[in-house]
Amino acid sequence: MQSIYCKPSNTSSGADYAEKMVARGLTNNYDTMQGDECTTLFYPITANRLYANVPIYFDKDKRLINKLLTCMELVDGSTLATYGGVDMPSSFKKAWVVLKDKCDNLLIEFPISKINRVLNGGKNVFFKTMPVDWSKSYIQLTDTSGLGSAGFLFRVWTVNK
Amino acid sequence: MQTLIIQLGKYVFAKMTQVTTVSNFTFDITSAANIANANIEVYAFEAYSAAEVATDQLGNNLIPAADAPKLMFSLCNTQGNLLLENASFQRSRASQNSGFVTYLNNFKVDLTKSYITLTATGGGLVANQVAGFVFYYRFIK
């Protein structure tokens, strides 16, 4: 006879919770597909951009019009050495990324190191089909020391609106 | 394995105005105010030290990574009830947790009542360094 206090269950409450988070669209398998298209954005951090606490706005890119952001990665020079002029992970603790929508509402702000897989346990960072207005979004350097000879290379995954 | 999908996120920090005695420090509410709104649920968060980002956008220096184990933090709701007590700052850094963030069961967090706790002094801690967090949240009806 089973105890009324220990009702057997096939799923733990932890598993139930994980399922709820998946149903709410708040988690994703980290090895799943990231989006329909991937665009590469390269921002050389040269003298005209080498200022602390001055926003470096993303360029208006027609490839990103009517697209929703689903994943963003900052590729480093140790991962893609042949690209040329790509900053190393040691430079990534000197910058922030701020993403806004077309009404200038803040969507997310995070240290740029968050989206570098070397520094993020090999995991991609996913976004819930975020309506980013790239012309209102920017990178902000908080320290320029050691920067200026390379740049930030982003891979941006999107789906159509 | 499941990992984070970011819906919305906000950086907030707690400034340690002194580091000579163990104490609690509240979050900076000028940056945290909108997280406490009634129509917001926090579903995940992560902590940041200087190993991830040396300085925040307001010019505050983040605490050294070596001193991150000296911090813990507690999250409360608007009634002041503890939702998460004495969580490890160190293990809340995704870089120290295989890239995974800490999930919450859609907490109604009031950061004006939440706080970090400095449990030990010394090391590289200097007054006015901050413990940085990004809280991931969503709007609810």
Side-chain angles (χ1 to χ4, degrees), chain A residues 99-152:
Chain A
L99 300 181
K100 294 187 172 185
D101 67 12
K102 66 181 181 182
C103 300
D104 217 28
N105 295 317
L106 175 69
L107 297 170
I108 172 80
E109 55 186 341
F110 53 85
I112 205 168
S113 61
K114 172 67 184 168
I115 52 174
N116 176 242
R117 289 174 70 173
V118 171
L119 301 175
N120 196 42
K123 307 297 184 300
N124 275 324
V125 174
F126 298 100
F127 298 86
K128 190 172 174 66
T129 55
M130 198 172 268
V132 176
D133 184 330
W134 292 95
S135 64
K136 290 186 167 59
S137 303
Y138 56 89
I139 306 160
Q140 184 172 330
L141 305 178
T142 52
D143 179 4
T144 60
S145 60
L147 298 174
S149 59
F152 296 141

Coordinates of all heavy atoms in Angstrom, one line a residue, chain A residues 99-152:
Chain A
L99 N 20.6 47.3 -27.1 CA 19.7 47.0 -28.2 C 18.4 47.7 -27.9 O 17.8 47.6 -26.8 CB 19.4 45.5 -28.4 CG 20.7 44.7 -28.7 CD1 20.3 43.2 -29.0 CD2 21.4 45.2 -30.0
K100 N 17.8 48.5 -28.8 CA 16.6 49.2 -28.7 C 15.6 49.0 -29.8 O 16.1 48.5 -30.9 CB 16.9 50.7 -28.6 CG 17.7 51.1 -27.3 CD 17.8 52.6 -27.2 CE 18.4 53.0 -25.9 NZ 18.4 54.5 -25.7
D101 N 14.4 49.2 -29.6 CA 13.4 49.1 -30.7 C 13.2 50.4 -31.4 O 13.9 51.4 -31.0 CB 12.1 48.5 -30.2 CG 11.3 49.4 -29.2 OD1 11.7 50.6 -29.1 OD2 10.4 49.0 -28.6
K102 N 12.3 50.5 -32.3 CA 12.2 51.7 -33.2 C 11.6 52.9 -32.4 O 11.7 54.0 -32.8 CB 11.3 51.4 -34.4 CG 9.8 51.1 -34.0 CD 9.0 50.8 -35.3 CE 7.6 50.5 -34.9 NZ 6.8 50.2 -36.1
C103 N 11.0 52.6 -31.2 CA 10.5 53.7 -30.4 C 11.5 54.1 -29.3 O 11.2 54.8 -28.3 CB 9.2 53.2 -29.7 SG 7.9 52.8 -30.9
D104 N 12.7 53.6 -29.5 CA 13.8 53.9 -28.6 C 13.7 53.3 -27.2 O 14.3 53.7 -26.2 CB 14.0 55.4 -28.4 CG 15.4 55.8 -28.3 OD1 16.3 55.1 -28.8 OD2 15.7 56.9 -27.6
N105 N 12.8 52.3 -27.1 CA 12.7 51.5 -25.8 C 13.8 50.6 -25.7 O 14.2 49.9 -26.6 CB 11.4 50.7 -25.8 CG 10.1 51.6 -25.8 OD1 10.1 52.6 -25.1 ND2 9.1 51.2 -26.6
L106 N 14.3 50.5 -24.5 CA 15.4 49.5 -24.2 C 14.9 48.1 -24.2 O 13.9 47.8 -23.6 CB 16.0 49.8 -22.8 CG 17.1 48.8 -22.4 CD1 18.4 49.0 -23.2 CD2 17.4 49.0 -20.9
L107 N 15.6 47.3 -25.1 CA 15.2 45.9 -25.1 C 16.1 45.1 -24.2 O 15.7 44.3 -23.4 CB 15.3 45.3 -26.5 CG 14.3 45.9 -27.5 CD1 14.7 45.5 -28.9 CD2 12.9 45.5 -27.2
I108 N 17.4 45.3 -24.3 CA 18.4 44.6 -23.5 C 19.7 45.4 -23.5 O 20.1 46.0 -24.5 CB 18.6 43.2 -24.0 CG1 19.7 42.4 -23.3 CG2 18.9 43.1 -25.5 CD1 19.4 41.9 -22.0
E109 N 20.4 45.4 -22.4 CA 21.8 45.9 -22.3 C 22.6 44.8 -21.6 O 22.2 44.3 -20.6 CB 21.8 47.2 -21.6 CG 21.2 47.2 -20.2 CD 21.1 48.6 -19.6 OE1 21.9 49.5 -20.0 OE2 20.4 48.7 -18.6
F110 N 23.8 44.6 -22.2 CA 24.6 43.5 -21.6 C 26.1 43.7 -22.0 O 26.4 44.4 -23.0 CB 24.1 42.1 -22.1 CG 24.1 42.0 -23.6 CD1 25.2 41.7 -24.4 CD2 22.9 42.2 -24.3 CE1 25.1 41.5 -25.7 CE2 22.8 42.1 -25.7 CZ 23.9 41.8 -26.4
P111 N 27.0 43.2 -21.1 CA 28.4 43.3 -21.5 C 28.6 42.5 -22.7 O 28.0 41.4 -22.9 CB 29.1 42.6 -20.3 CG 28.1 42.8 -19.2 CD 26.8 42.7 -19.8
I112 N 29.5 43.0 -23.6 CA 29.7 42.4 -24.9 C 30.2 41.0 -24.8 O 30.1 40.1 -25.6 CB 30.6 43.3 -25.8 CG1 30.3 43.0 -27.3 CG2 32.0 43.2 -25.4 CD1 31.0 44.1 -28.2
S113 N 30.9 40.7 -23.6 CA 31.5 39.4 -23.4 C 30.4 38.3 -23.3 O 30.7 37.1 -23.6 CB 32.3 39.4 -22.1 OG 31.5 39.7 -21.0
K114 N 29.2 38.7 -23.0 CA 28.1 37.8 -22.9 C 27.8 37.0 -24.1 O 27.5 35.8 -24.1 CB 26.8 38.5 -22.5 CG 25.5 37.7 -22.5 CD 25.6 36.7 -21.4 CE 24.3 35.8 -21.4 NZ 24.5 34.6 -20.6
I115 N 28.1 37.6 -25.3 CA 27.7 36.9 -26.5 C 29.0 36.3 -27.2 O 28.9 35.9 -28.4 CB 27.0 37.9 -27.5 CG1 27.7 39.2 -27.7 CG2 25.6 38.1 -27.0 CD1 27.1 40.1 -28.8
N116 N 30.1 36.3 -26.5 CA 31.2 35.6 -27.0 C 31.2 34.2 -26.5 O 31.2 34.0 -25.3 CB 32.5 36.3 -26.6 CG 33.8 35.5 -27.1 OD1 34.6 35.1 -26.3 ND2 33.9 35.3 -28.4
R117 N 31.2 33.2 -27.3 CA 31.0 31.8 -26.9 C 32.2 31.3 -26.1 O 32.1 30.5 -25.2 CB 30.8 30.9 -28.1 CG 29.4 31.1 -28.6 CD 29.1 30.3 -29.9 NE 29.0 28.9 -29.6 CZ 28.6 28.0 -30.6 NH1 28.4 28.4 -31.8 NH2 28.5 26.8 -30.3
V118 N 33.4 31.8 -26.3 CA 34.6 31.4 -25.5 C 34.4 31.8 -24.1 O 34.7 31.1 -23.2 CB 35.9 32.1 -26.1 CG1 37.0 31.9 -25.2 CG2 36.2 31.6 -27.5
L119 N 33.8 33.0 -23.9 CA 33.6 33.5 -22.5 C 32.2 33.1 -21.9 O 31.9 33.5 -20.8 CB 33.7 35.0 -22.5 CG 35.1 35.6 -23.0 CD1 35.0 37.1 -23.1 CD2 36.2 35.1 -22.1
N120 N 31.4 32.4 -22.7 CA 30.1 32.1 -22.2 C 29.8 30.6 -22.2 O 28.7 30.1 -22.6 CB 29.0 32.8 -23.1 CG 27.6 32.8 -22.4 OD1 27.5 33.0 -21.2 ND2 26.6 32.5 -23.2
G121 N 30.9 29.8 -21.8 CA 30.7 28.4 -21.7 C 30.4 27.7 -23.0 O 29.8 26.6 -22.9
G122 N 30.7 28.3 -24.1 CA 30.4 27.7 -25.4 C 29.0 27.8 -25.8 O 28.6 27.2 -26.8
K123 N 28.2 28.6 -25.1 CA 26.7 28.6 -25.3 C 26.4 29.9 -26.2 O 26.9 31.0 -25.9 CB 25.9 28.7 -24.0 CG 26.2 27.6 -23.0 CD 25.9 26.2 -23.6 CE 26.1 25.2 -22.5 NZ 27.5 25.1 -22.1
N124 N 25.5 29.7 -27.1 CA 24.9 30.8 -27.8 C 24.0 31.6 -27.0 O 23.4 31.0 -26.0 CB 24.2 30.3 -29.1 CG 25.1 30.2 -30.3 OD1 26.0 30.9 -30.4 ND2 24.8 29.1 -31.1
V125 N 23.7 32.8 -27.3 CA 22.7 33.6 -26.6 C 21.5 33.8 -27.5 O 21.7 34.4 -28.6 CB 23.3 34.9 -26.1 CG1 22.2 35.8 -25.5 CG2 24.4 34.6 -25.1
F126 N 20.4 33.4 -27.2 CA 19.2 33.5 -28.0 C 18.3 34.7 -27.6 O 18.3 35.1 -26.4 CB 18.3 32.2 -27.9 CG 19.1 31.0 -28.4 CD1 19.7 30.1 -27.5 CD2 19.2 30.8 -29.8 CE1 20.3 29.0 -28.0 CE2 19.9 29.6 -30.2 CZ 20.5 28.8 -29.3
F127 N 17.6 35.2 -28.5 CA 16.6 36.3 -28.2 C 15.2 35.9 -28.7 O 15.1 35.1 -29.7 CB 17.0 37.6 -29.0 CG 18.4 38.1 -28.5 CD1 19.6 37.6 -29.1 CD2 18.5 39.0 -27.5 CE1 20.8 38.1 -28.7 CE2 19.7 39.5 -27.1 CZ 20.9 39.0 -27.7
K128 N 14.2 36.4 -28.0 CA 12.9 36.0 -28.4 C 12.4 36.9 -29.5 O 11.7 37.9 -29.2 CB 11.9 36.0 -27.1 CG 10.6 35.4 -27.4 CD 9.8 35.4 -26.1 CE 8.4 34.9 -26.3 NZ 8.4 33.5 -26.8
T129 N 12.7 36.6 -30.7 CA 12.3 37.3 -31.9 C 12.2 38.8 -31.6 O 11.2 39.4 -31.6 CB 11.0 36.8 -32.5 OG1 10.0 36.8 -31.5 CG2 11.2 35.4 -33.0
M130 N 13.4 39.4 -31.3 CA 13.4 40.7 -30.8 C 13.4 41.8 -31.9 O 14.2 41.7 -32.9 CB 14.7 40.9 -30.0 CG 14.8 42.0 -29.0 SD 16.2 41.9 -28.0 CE 15.6 41.0 -26.6
P131 N 12.5 42.8 -31.9 CA 12.4 43.7 -32.9 C 13.4 44.9 -32.8 O 13.1 46.0 -32.5 CB 10.9 44.3 -32.8 CG 10.7 44.2 -31.3 CD 11.5 43.0 -30.8
V132 N 14.6 44.6 -33.0 CA 15.7 45.5 -32.8 C 15.7 46.5 -34.0 O 15.6 46.2 -35.2 CB 17.1 44.8 -32.8 CG1 18.2 45.8 -32.7 CG2 17.1 43.8 -31.6
D133 N 15.8 47.8 -33.6 CA 16.1 48.8 -34.6 C 17.6 49.1 -34.5 O 18.1 49.7 -33.6 CB 15.3 50.1 -34.3 CG 15.5 51.2 -35.4 OD1 16.6 51.2 -36.0 OD2 14.6 52.0 -35.6
W134 N 18.3 48.6 -35.5 CA 19.8 48.6 -35.4 C 20.3 50.1 -35.4 O 21.4 50.3 -34.9 CB 20.4 47.8 -36.5 CG 20.1 46.3 -36.3 CD1 19.1 45.6 -36.8 CD2 20.8 45.4 -35.4 NE1 19.1 44.4 -36.3 CE2 20.1 44.2 -35.4 CE3 21.9 45.5 -34.6 CZ2 20.5 43.1 -34.7 CZ3 22.3 44.4 -33.8 CH2 21.6 43.2 -33.9
S135 N 19.6 51.0 -36.1 CA 20.1 52.4 -36.1 C 20.0 53.1 -34.8 O 20.6 54.1 -34.6 CB 19.4 53.1 -37.2 OG 18.0 53.2 -36.9
K136 N 19.2 52.5 -33.9 CA 19.1 53.1 -32.5 C 19.9 52.3 -31.5 O 19.9 52.6 -30.3 CB 17.6 53.1 -32.1 CG 16.8 54.1 -32.9 CD 15.4 54.2 -32.3 CE 14.6 55.5 -32.9 NZ 14.5 55.5 -34.3
S137 N 20.5 51.2 -31.9 CA 21.2 50.3 -31.0 C 22.7 50.6 -31.2 O 23.2 51.1 -32.2 CB 20.9 48.9 -31.3 OG 19.5 48.6 -31.3
Y138 N 23.5 50.3 -30.1 CA 24.9 50.7 -30.2 C 25.8 49.8 -29.3 O 25.3 49.1 -28.4 CB 25.0 52.2 -29.8 CG 24.4 52.5 -28.5 CD1 25.2 52.5 -27.3 CD2 23.1 53.0 -28.3 CE1 24.7 52.8 -26.1 CE2 22.6 53.4 -27.1 CZ 23.4 53.3 -26.0 OH 22.9 53.6 -24.8
I139 N 27.1 50.0 -29.6 CA 28.1 49.4 -28.7 C 28.7 50.6 -28.0 O 28.7 51.7 -28.5 CB 29.3 48.9 -29.6 CG1 28.7 47.8 -30.6 CG2 30.4 48.3 -28.7 CD1 29.7 47.6 -31.8
Q140 N 29.0 50.4 -26.7 CA 29.6 51.5 -25.9 C 30.9 51.0 -25.3 O 30.8 50.0 -24.5 CB 28.6 52.0 -24.9 CG 29.2 53.2 -24.1 CD 28.2 53.8 -23.2 OE1 27.0 53.8 -23.5 NE2 28.6 54.4 -22.1
L141 N 32.0 51.6 -25.6 CA 33.2 51.3 -25.0 C 33.3 52.0 -23.6 O 33.0 53.2 -23.5 CB 34.4 51.7 -25.8 CG 34.5 51.2 -27.3 CD1 35.7 51.8 -28.0 CD2 34.5 49.7 -27.3
T142 N 33.7 51.3 -22.6 CA 33.9 51.9 -21.3 C 35.3 52.2 -21.0 O 35.7 52.8 -20.0 CB 33.2 51.1 -20.2 OG1 33.7 49.7 -20.2 CG2 31.7 51.1 -20.3
D143 N 36.2 51.6 -21.8 CA 37.7 51.7 -21.6 C 38.3 51.5 -23.0 O 38.0 50.5 -23.6 CB 38.2 50.7 -20.6 CG 39.6 50.8 -20.4 OD1 40.3 51.7 -20.9 OD2 40.2 50.0 -19.6
T144 N 39.1 52.4 -23.4 CA 39.7 52.2 -24.8 C 41.1 51.7 -24.8 O 41.7 51.4 -25.8 CB 39.7 53.6 -25.5 OG1 40.5 54.5 -24.7 CG2 38.3 54.1 -25.7
S145 N 41.7 51.5 -23.6 CA 43.1 51.0 -23.5 C 43.2 49.6 -24.2 O 42.3 48.7 -23.9 CB 43.5 50.9 -22.1 OG 42.7 50.1 -21.3
G146 N 44.2 49.4 -25.0 CA 44.4 48.1 -25.6 C 43.5 47.9 -26.9 O 43.7 46.9 -27.6
L147 N 42.6 48.8 -27.1 CA 41.8 48.7 -28.3 C 42.3 49.7 -29.4 O 43.1 50.5 -29.1 CB 40.3 49.1 -28.0 CG 39.6 48.2 -27.0 CD1 38.2 48.8 -26.7 CD2 39.5 46.8 -27.5
G148 N 41.8 49.5 -30.6 CA 42.2 50.4 -31.7 C 42.9 49.8 -32.8 O 43.1 50.4 -33.9
S149 N 43.3 48.6 -32.7 CA 44.0 47.9 -33.8 C 43.2 46.8 -34.4 O 43.6 46.2 -35.4 CB 45.3 47.3 -33.3 OG 45.1 46.4 -32.2
A150 N 42.0 46.6 -33.9 CA 41.2 45.5 -34.5 C 39.7 45.9 -34.4 O 39.4 47.1 -34.4 CB 41.4 44.2 -33.7
G151 N 38.8 45.0 -34.3 CA 37.4 45.4 -34.3 C 36.5 44.2 -33.8 O 37.0 43.2 -33.4
F152 N 35.2 44.5 -33.8 CA 34.2 43.5 -33.3 C 33.5 42.9 -34.5 O 32.9 43.6 -35.3 CB 33.2 44.2 -32.4 CG 33.8 44.8 -31.1 CD1 33.4 46.0 -30.6 CD2 34.8 44.1 -30.4 CE1 33.9 46.5 -29.4 CE2 35.3 44.6 -29.2 CZ 34.9 45.8 -28.8

